[in-house]
Coordinates of all heavy atoms in Angstrom, one line a residue:
M74 N 124.5 269.6 161.5 CA 124.4 268.5 160.5 C 125.7 267.8 160.4 O 126.7 268.3 160.6 CB 124.0 269.1 159.1 CG 123.6 268.1 158.2 SD 124.1 268.3 156.5 CE 125.8 268.7 156.5
V75 N 125.6 266.5 160.2 CA 126.7 265.6 160.0 C 126.8 265.1 158.6 O 125.7 264.8 158.0 CB 126.6 264.4 161.0 CG1 127.7 263.5 160.8 CG2 126.6 264.9 162.5
Y76 N 128.0 265.0 158.1 CA 128.1 264.4 156.7 C 129.3 263.4 156.7 O 130.2 263.4 157.5 CB 128.3 265.5 155.7 CG 129.6 266.2 155.7 CD1 130.7 265.7 155.0 CD2 129.8 267.3 156.4 CE1 131.9 266.4 155.0 CE2 131.0 268.0 156.5 CZ 132.0 267.5 155.7 OH 133.2 268.2 155.8
V77 N 129.1 262.4 155.8 CA 130.2 261.4 155.6 C 130.5 261.5 154.1 O 129.7 261.5 153.2 CB 129.6 260.0 155.9 CG1 130.7 259.0 155.6 CG2 129.2 260.0 157.4
L78 N 131.8 261.5 153.8 CA 132.3 261.6 152.4 C 132.7 260.2 152.0 O 133.5 259.5 152.8 CB 133.5 262.5 152.3 CG 134.1 262.9 151.0 CD1 133.0 263.5 150.1 CD2 135.3 263.8 151.1
A79 N 132.2 259.7 150.9 CA 132.4 258.3 150.5 C 133.9 258.1 150.3 O 134.6 259.0 149.8 CB 131.7 258.0 149.1
G80 N 134.4 257.0 150.8 CA 135.9 256.7 150.6 C 136.7 257.2 151.8 O 137.9 257.0 151.8
R81 N 136.1 257.8 152.8 CA 136.9 258.3 153.9 C 136.1 257.9 155.2 O 134.9 258.1 155.3 CB 136.9 259.9 153.8 CG 137.8 260.4 155.0 CD 138.0 261.9 154.9 NE 136.7 262.5 155.2 CZ 136.4 263.8 154.9 NH1 137.2 264.5 154.2 NH2 135.2 264.3 155.2
A82 N 136.9 257.4 156.1 CA 136.3 257.0 157.4 C 135.9 258.2 158.3 O 136.6 259.3 158.2 CB 137.3 256.1 158.2
G83 N 134.9 258.0 159.0 CA 134.5 259.1 160.0 C 133.5 260.1 159.4 O 133.3 260.2 158.2
A84 N 132.9 260.8 160.3 CA 131.9 261.9 159.9 C 132.5 263.2 160.4 O 133.3 263.3 161.3 CB 130.6 261.6 160.6
R85 N 132.0 264.2 159.7 CA 132.4 265.6 160.0 C 131.1 266.4 160.1 O 130.0 266.1 159.6 CB 133.2 266.2 158.9 CG 134.6 265.5 158.9 CD 135.5 266.3 158.0 NE 136.8 265.5 158.0 CZ 137.9 266.0 157.4 NH1 137.9 267.2 156.9 NH2 139.0 265.3 157.4
T86 N 131.2 267.6 160.8 CA 130.0 268.5 160.9 C 130.1 269.7 160.0 O 131.2 270.1 159.6 CB 129.9 268.9 162.4 OG1 131.1 269.7 162.7 CG2 129.7 267.8 163.3
A87 N 129.0 270.2 159.7 CA 128.9 271.4 158.8 C 127.5 272.1 159.2 O 126.7 271.5 159.8 CB 128.9 271.0 157.3
L88 N 127.4 273.2 158.7 CA 126.1 274.0 158.8 C 125.3 273.9 157.6 O 125.8 274.1 156.5 CB 126.4 275.5 159.1 CG 125.2 276.4 159.3 CD1 124.4 276.0 160.5 CD2 125.7 277.8 159.4
A89 N 124.1 273.4 157.7 CA 123.1 273.3 156.6 C 122.2 274.5 156.7 O 121.6 274.8 157.7 CB 122.4 272.0 156.6
N90 N 121.9 275.1 155.5 CA 121.0 276.3 155.5 C 120.3 276.3 154.2 O 120.7 275.7 153.2 CB 121.9 277.5 155.6 CG 121.1 278.7 156.0 OD1 119.9 278.7 156.2 ND2 121.8 279.8 156.2
D91 N 119.2 277.0 154.2 CA 118.4 277.2 152.9 C 118.0 275.9 152.2 O 118.2 275.8 151.0 CB 119.2 278.1 152.0 CG 118.3 278.8 150.9 OD1 117.1 278.8 151.2 OD2 118.9 279.2 149.9
L92 N 117.4 275.0 153.0 CA 117.0 273.7 152.4 C 115.7 274.0 151.6 O 114.7 274.6 152.1 CB 116.7 272.7 153.5 CG 116.1 271.4 153.1 CD1 117.0 270.6 152.1 CD2 115.8 270.5 154.3
S93 N 115.7 273.6 150.3 CA 114.5 273.7 149.5 C 114.5 272.7 148.4 O 115.4 271.9 148.3 CB 114.5 275.1 148.9 OG 115.5 275.2 147.9
A94 N 113.5 272.7 147.6 CA 113.4 271.8 146.4 C 114.6 272.0 145.5 O 115.0 271.1 144.8 CB 112.1 271.9 145.7
G95 N 115.2 273.2 145.5 CA 116.3 273.5 144.6 C 117.6 273.1 145.1 O 118.6 273.1 144.4
G96 N 117.7 272.7 146.4 CA 119.0 272.3 146.9 C 119.2 272.6 148.4 O 118.2 272.8 149.1
L97 N 120.5 272.7 148.8 CA 120.8 272.9 150.1 C 122.2 273.7 150.2 O 123.1 273.3 149.4 CB 121.0 271.6 150.9 CG 121.6 271.6 152.2 CD1 120.7 272.1 153.3 CD2 122.1 270.2 152.6
L98 N 122.3 274.7 151.0 CA 123.6 275.4 151.2 C 124.3 274.7 152.3 O 123.8 274.6 153.4 CB 123.3 276.8 151.5 CG 124.6 277.6 151.9 CD1 125.5 277.7 150.7 CD2 124.2 279.0 152.3
L99 N 125.5 274.2 152.0 CA 126.3 273.5 153.0 C 127.5 274.3 153.3 O 128.3 274.6 152.4 CB 126.7 272.1 152.5 CG 127.5 271.2 153.4 CD1 126.6 270.8 154.6 CD2 127.9 269.9 152.7
I100 N 127.7 274.7 154.5 CA 128.9 275.5 154.9 C 129.8 274.6 155.8 O 129.4 274.2 156.9 CB 128.4 276.8 155.7 CG1 127.4 277.6 154.8 CG2 129.6 277.6 156.1 CD1 126.7 278.7 155.5
G101 N 131.0 274.4 155.3 CA 131.9 273.6 156.1 C 133.3 274.1 155.9 O 133.6 275.1 155.3
D102 N 134.3 273.3 156.3 CA 135.7 273.7 156.3 C 136.5 272.9 155.2 O 137.7 272.9 155.2 CB 136.4 273.5 157.6 CG 136.4 272.0 158.1 OD1 135.8 271.2 157.4 OD2 136.9 271.8 159.1
E103 N 135.8 272.3 154.2 CA 136.5 271.7 153.1 C 135.7 271.8 151.8 O 134.5 271.9 151.8 CB 136.8 270.2 153.5 CG 135.6 269.3 153.5 CD 135.9 267.9 153.9 OE1 136.8 267.3 153.2 OE2 135.3 267.3 154.8
D104 N 136.5 271.6 150.7 CA 135.8 271.6 149.4 C 135.7 270.1 149.0 O 136.6 269.3 149.3 CB 136.7 272.3 148.4 CG 136.7 273.8 148.6 OD1 135.7 274.4 149.1 OD2 137.8 274.4 148.3
F105 N 134.7 269.8 148.2 CA 134.5 268.5 147.7 C 135.0 268.4 146.2 O 134.8 269.3 145.5 CB 133.1 268.0 147.8 CG 132.5 268.0 149.2 CD1 131.3 268.7 149.5 CD2 133.2 267.4 150.2 CE1 130.8 268.8 150.7 CE2 132.6 267.4 151.5 CZ 131.5 268.1 151.8
A106 N 135.5 267.3 145.8 CA 135.9 267.0 144.4 C 134.6 266.9 143.6 O 133.6 266.5 144.1 CB 136.7 265.8 144.3
D107 N 134.7 267.2 142.3 CA 133.6 267.0 141.4 C 133.2 265.6 141.5 O 134.0 264.7 141.6 CB 134.0 267.4 140.0 CG 134.1 268.9 139.8 OD1 133.7 269.7 140.6 OD2 134.7 269.3 138.7
E108 N 131.9 265.3 141.4 CA 131.3 264.0 141.5 C 131.5 263.3 142.8 O 131.3 262.1 142.9 CB 131.8 263.1 140.3 CG 131.7 263.7 139.0 CD 130.3 263.9 138.5 OE1 129.4 263.0 138.8 OE2 130.0 264.9 137.8
A109 N 131.8 264.0 143.9 CA 132.0 263.4 145.2 C 130.6 262.9 145.7 O 129.6 263.5 145.5 CB 132.6 264.4 146.2
T110 N 130.6 261.8 146.4 CA 129.4 261.3 147.0 C 129.4 261.6 148.5 O 130.3 261.2 149.2 CB 129.3 259.7 146.8 OG1 129.3 259.4 145.4 CG2 128.0 259.2 147.4
V111 N 128.4 262.4 148.9 CA 128.3 262.8 150.3 C 127.0 262.4 150.9 O 125.9 262.6 150.3 CB 128.4 264.4 150.4 CG1 128.3 264.8 151.8 CG2 129.7 264.8 149.7
E112 N 127.0 261.7 152.1 CA 125.8 261.3 152.8 C 125.6 262.4 153.8 O 126.4 262.7 154.7 CB 126.0 259.9 153.4 CG 124.8 259.5 154.2 CD 125.1 258.2 154.9 OE1 125.8 257.3 154.4 OE2 124.6 258.0 156.1
L113 N 124.4 262.9 153.8 CA 124.0 264.0 154.8 C 123.1 263.4 155.8 O 122.2 262.6 155.5 CB 123.2 265.1 154.1 CG 123.9 265.8 152.9 CD1 123.0 266.8 152.3 CD2 125.2 266.4 153.3
R114 N 123.3 263.7 157.1 CA 122.5 263.3 158.2 C 122.0 264.5 159.0 O 122.8 265.2 159.6 CB 123.3 262.3 159.1 CG 123.8 261.1 158.4 CD 124.7 260.3 159.3 NE 125.3 259.2 158.5 CZ 126.3 258.5 159.0 NH1 126.8 258.7 160.2 NH2 126.8 257.5 158.3
F115 N 120.7 264.7 158.9 CA 120.2 265.8 159.7 C 118.7 265.6 160.1 O 118.1 264.7 159.5 CB 120.3 267.2 158.9 CG 119.6 267.2 157.6 CD1 118.3 267.6 157.5 CD2 120.3 266.8 156.5 CE1 117.7 267.6 156.2 CE2 119.7 266.8 155.2 CZ 118.4 267.2 155.1
T116 N 118.3 266.3 161.1 CA 116.9 266.1 161.6 C 116.2 267.4 161.5 O 116.7 268.5 161.9 CB 116.9 265.7 163.1 OG1 117.7 264.5 163.2 CG2 115.5 265.5 163.6
L117 N 115.0 267.4 160.9 CA 114.2 268.6 160.7 C 113.2 268.7 161.9 O 112.8 267.6 162.5 CB 113.4 268.5 159.4 CG 114.2 268.5 158.2 CD1 113.2 268.2 157.0 CD2 114.9 269.8 158.0
P118 N 112.9 269.9 162.3 CA 111.9 270.0 163.5 C 110.6 269.4 163.2 O 110.1 269.5 162.1 CB 111.8 271.6 163.6 CG 113.0 272.1 162.9 CD 113.3 271.1 161.8
N119 N 110.0 268.7 164.1 CA 108.8 267.9 163.9 C 107.6 268.8 163.5 O 106.8 268.4 162.7 CB 108.4 267.1 165.2 CG 109.3 265.9 165.4 OD1 109.8 265.4 164.4 ND2 109.4 265.5 166.6
D120 N 107.5 270.0 164.0 CA 106.4 270.9 163.6 C 106.5 271.3 162.2 O 105.5 271.6 161.6 CB 106.3 272.1 164.6 CG 107.6 273.0 164.6 OD1 108.7 272.4 164.4 OD2 107.5 274.2 164.8
L121 N 107.7 271.4 161.6 CA 107.8 271.8 160.2 C 107.5 270.6 159.2 O 107.1 270.8 158.1 CB 109.2 272.3 159.9 CG 109.6 273.6 160.5 CD1 111.0 273.9 160.2 CD2 108.7 274.7 160.1
I122 N 107.6 269.4 159.7 CA 107.4 268.3 158.7 C 106.2 267.4 159.1 O 106.0 266.4 158.5 CB 108.7 267.4 158.7 CG1 109.0 266.8 160.1 CG2 109.9 268.1 158.2 CD1 110.0 265.7 160.1
S123 N 105.3 267.9 159.9 CA 104.2 267.1 160.4 C 103.3 266.7 159.2 O 102.6 265.7 159.3 CB 103.4 267.8 161.5 OG 102.9 269.0 161.0
S124 N 103.2 267.5 158.2 CA 102.3 267.2 157.1 C 103.1 266.8 155.8 O 102.5 266.6 154.8 CB 101.5 268.5 156.7 OG 102.3 269.5 156.3
V125 N 104.3 266.6 155.9 CA 105.2 266.1 154.8 C 105.0 264.7 154.5 O 104.9 263.9 155.4 CB 106.7 266.5 155.0 CG1 107.6 265.9 154.0 CG2 106.9 268.0 155.1
T126 N 105.0 264.3 153.2 CA 105.0 262.9 152.9 C 106.2 262.6 151.9 O 106.6 263.5 151.3 CB 103.7 262.4 152.2 OG1 103.5 263.2 151.0 CG2 102.5 262.5 153.1
V127 N 106.6 261.4 151.9 CA 107.7 261.0 151.1 C 107.2 260.0 150.1 O 106.5 259.1 150.5 CB 108.9 260.3 152.0 CG1 110.0 259.8 151.1 CG2 109.4 261.3 153.0
E128 N 107.6 260.1 148.8 CA 107.1 259.1 147.8 C 108.2 258.0 147.7 O 109.3 258.3 147.6 CB 106.9 259.8 146.5 CG 106.4 258.9 145.4 CD 106.0 259.6 144.2 OE1 104.9 260.1 144.0 OE2 106.9 259.6 143.3
K129 N 107.7 256.8 147.9 CA 108.6 255.6 147.8 C 108.1 254.7 146.6 O 106.9 254.7 146.4 CB 108.5 254.8 149.1 CG 109.2 255.5 150.2 CD 109.2 254.6 151.4 CE 109.9 255.2 152.6 NZ 110.1 254.3 153.7
E130 N 109.0 254.1 146.0 CA 108.7 253.2 144.9 C 108.9 251.8 145.3 O 110.0 251.5 145.9 CB 109.5 253.5 143.6 CG 109.1 252.6 142.4 CD 109.9 253.0 141.2 OE1 111.1 252.6 141.1 OE2 109.3 253.8 140.4
I131 N 107.9 250.9 145.2 CA 108.0 249.6 145.6 C 108.0 248.7 144.4 O 107.1 248.8 143.5 CB 106.8 249.2 146.5 CG1 106.8 250.0 147.8 CG2 106.8 247.7 146.8 CD1 105.6 249.9 148.6
V132 N 109.0 247.9 144.2 CA 109.2 247.0 143.1 C 109.1 245.6 143.6 O 109.8 245.2 144.6 CB 110.6 247.2 142.4 CG1 110.7 246.2 141.3 CG2 110.7 248.6 141.9
Q133 N 108.2 244.8 143.0 CA 108.0 243.4 143.5 C 108.1 242.5 142.3 O 107.5 242.7 141.2 CB 106.6 243.3 144.1 CG 106.3 241.9 144.7 CD 104.9 241.9 145.4 OE1 104.1 242.7 145.1 NE2 104.8 241.0 146.3
T134 N 108.9 241.4 142.4 CA 109.0 240.5 141.3 C 108.5 239.1 141.8 O 108.9 238.6 142.9 CB 110.5 240.3 141.0 OG1 111.0 241.6 140.6 CG2 110.7 239.3 139.8
T135 N 107.5 238.6 141.0 CA 106.9 237.3 141.4 C 107.0 236.4 140.1 O 107.6 236.9 139.1 CB 105.4 237.5 141.7 OG1 104.7 237.9 140.6 CG2 105.2 238.5 142.9
S136 N 106.5 235.2 140.2 CA 106.5 234.3 139.1 C 105.7 234.8 137.9 O 105.9 234.4 136.8 CB 106.0 232.9 139.5 OG 104.7 233.0 140.0
R137 N 104.8 235.8 138.2 CA 104.0 236.4 137.1 C 104.6 237.6 136.5 O 104.0 238.3 135.7 CB 102.6 236.7 137.6 CG 101.8 235.4 137.9 CD 100.4 235.7 138.2 NE 100.3 236.1 139.7 CZ 99.3 236.4 140.3 NH1 98.1 236.5 139.6 NH2 99.3 236.7 141.5
G138 N 105.8 238.0 137.0 CA 106.4 239.2 136.4 C 106.7 240.3 137.5 O 106.6 240.0 138.7
R139 N 107.1 241.4 137.0 CA 107.6 242.5 137.9 C 106.5 243.6 137.9 O 106.0 244.0 136.9 CB 108.9 243.0 137.4 CG 109.5 244.1 138.2 CD 110.8 244.5 137.5 NE 111.3 245.8 138.2 CZ 112.5 246.2 138.1 NH1 113.4 245.5 137.5 NH2 112.8 247.3 138.7
T140 N 106.2 244.1 139.1 CA 105.2 245.2 139.2 C 105.9 246.3 140.0 O 106.8 246.1 140.9 CB 104.0 244.8 140.0 OG1 104.3 244.4 141.3 CG2 103.2 243.7 139.2
T141 N 105.5 247.6 139.7 CA 106.1 248.7 140.3 C 104.9 249.6 140.8 O 104.0 249.8 140.0 CB 107.0 249.5 139.4 OG1 108.0 248.7 138.9 CG2 107.6 250.7 140.1
R142 N 105.0 250.1 142.0 CA 103.9 251.0 142.4 C 104.6 252.1 143.3 O 105.6 251.8 144.0 CB 102.8 250.3 143.1 CG 103.1 249.6 144.4 CD 101.9 248.9 145.0 NE 102.3 248.1 146.1 CZ 102.0 248.4 147.4 NH1 101.3 249.4 147.6 NH2 102.4 247.6 148.4
K143 N 103.9 253.2 143.4 CA 104.5 254.3 144.2 C 103.4 254.6 145.4 O 102.2 254.5 145.1 CB 104.7 255.6 143.4 CG 105.8 255.4 142.4 CD 106.1 256.7 141.7 CE 107.2 256.4 140.7 NZ 107.5 257.6 139.9
I144 N 104.0 254.8 146.5 CA 103.1 255.1 147.7 C 103.7 256.4 148.4 O 104.9 256.7 148.2 CB 103.0 254.0 148.7 CG1 104.4 253.6 149.3 CG2 102.4 252.7 148.1 CD1 104.4 252.7 150.4
K145 N 102.8 257.1 149.1 CA 103.3 258.2 149.9 C 103.1 257.8 151.4 O 102.1 257.4 151.8 CB 102.5 259.4 149.6 CG 102.8 260.0 148.2 CD 102.1 261.3 147.9 CE 102.6 261.8 146.5 NZ 102.1 263.1 146.3
V146 N 104.2 258.1 152.1 CA 104.2 257.8 153.5 C 104.8 258.9 154.3 O 105.5 259.8 153.7 CB 105.1 256.5 153.8 CG1 104.4 255.3 153.2 CG2 106.5 256.6 153.4
R147 N 104.6 259.0 155.6 CA 105.2 260.0 156.4 C 106.7 259.5 156.7 O 107.0 258.3 156.8 CB 104.5 260.1 157.8 CG 103.1 260.7 157.6 CD 103.0 261.8 158.6 NE 101.9 262.7 158.3 CZ 100.9 262.9 159.1 NH1 100.8 262.3 160.2 NH2 100.0 263.7 158.7
P148 N 107.6 260.5 156.8 CA 109.0 260.1 157.1 C 109.1 259.4 158.4 O 108.4 259.7 159.3 CB 109.7 261.5 157.1 CG 108.8 262.5 156.5 CD 107.4 261.9 156.7
S149 N 110.1 258.5 158.5 CA 110.3 257.8 159.8 C 110.9 258.8 160.8 O 111.7 259.7 160.4 CB 111.2 256.6 159.6 OG 112.4 257.0 159.0
R150 N 110.7 258.5 162.0 CA 111.2 259.4 163.1 C 112.7 259.1 163.2 O 113.2 258.0 163.0 CB 110.5 259.2 164.4 CG 109.1 259.7 164.4 CD 108.6 259.7 165.9 NE 107.4 260.5 165.9 CZ 107.3 261.7 166.3 NH1 108.4 262.4 166.7 NH2 106.2 262.4 166.4
S151 N 113.4 260.1 163.7 CA 114.9 259.9 163.9 C 115.1 258.9 165.0 O 114.4 258.8 166.0 CB 115.5 261.2 164.4 OG 116.8 261.1 164.7
R152 N 116.2 258.1 164.8 CA 116.5 257.0 165.8 C 117.6 257.4 166.7 O 118.4 256.7 167.2 CB 116.9 255.8 165.0 CG 115.8 255.2 164.2 CD 116.2 254.0 163.5 NE 115.1 253.5 162.7 CZ 115.2 253.3 161.4 NH1 116.4 253.4 160.8 NH2 114.2 252.9 160.7
R153 N 117.7 258.7 167.1 CA 118.7 259.2 168.0 C 118.5 258.8 169.4 O 117.4 258.8 169.9 CB 118.9 260.7 167.8 CG 119.5 261.0 166.5 CD 119.7 262.5 166.4 NE 120.2 262.7 165.1 CZ 121.1 263.6 164.8 NH1 121.5 264.4 165.8 NH2 121.5 263.8 163.6

């Protein structure tokens, strides 16, 4: 897995384990400050996510006002 720490150039690698609704165990060679913003980049095996959907919120503003709706879609494929 690759991660990027906000405010610092470049990406670093770490081991991601135990991904669940409750969180993710990230094993790397540095500690993060409280409230650090970290962008994670990883790819899950296709056979594990074939039935997974992602909920997205679509907000549209027109002359008649603002509407919000939620849709479920399949995750986009990795662009590697």
Side-chain angles (χ1 to χ4, degrees):
M74 189 214 52
V75 174
Y76 69 91
V77 175
L78 189 59
R81 184 178 68 200
R85 295 192 179 187
T86 59
L88 177 64
N90 197 358
D91 199 20
L92 175 64
S93 69
L97 168 77
L98 173 63
L99 183 65
I100 303 168
D102 62 356
E103 68 180 310
D104 294 327
F105 301 127
D107 289 345
E108 306 295 324
T110 301
V111 180
E112 178 183 325
L113 305 176
R114 300 175 186 167
F115 57 93
T116 303
L117 298 173
N119 285 337
D120 58 330
L121 292 178
I122 62 168
S123 61
S124 63
V125 171
T126 57
V127 176
E128 186 174 273
K129 293 186 176 186
E130 184 174 80
I131 299 173
V132 178
Q133 185 176 23
T134 303
T135 67
S136 60
R137 292 188 278 178
R139 181 178 170 163
T140 60
T141 303
R142 65 185 173 106
K143 293 183 179 180
I144 62 170
K145 291 190 177 186
V146 296
R147 290 226 163 125
S149 59
R150 289 192 170 262
S151 175
R152 295 183 185 124
R153 290 182 182 216

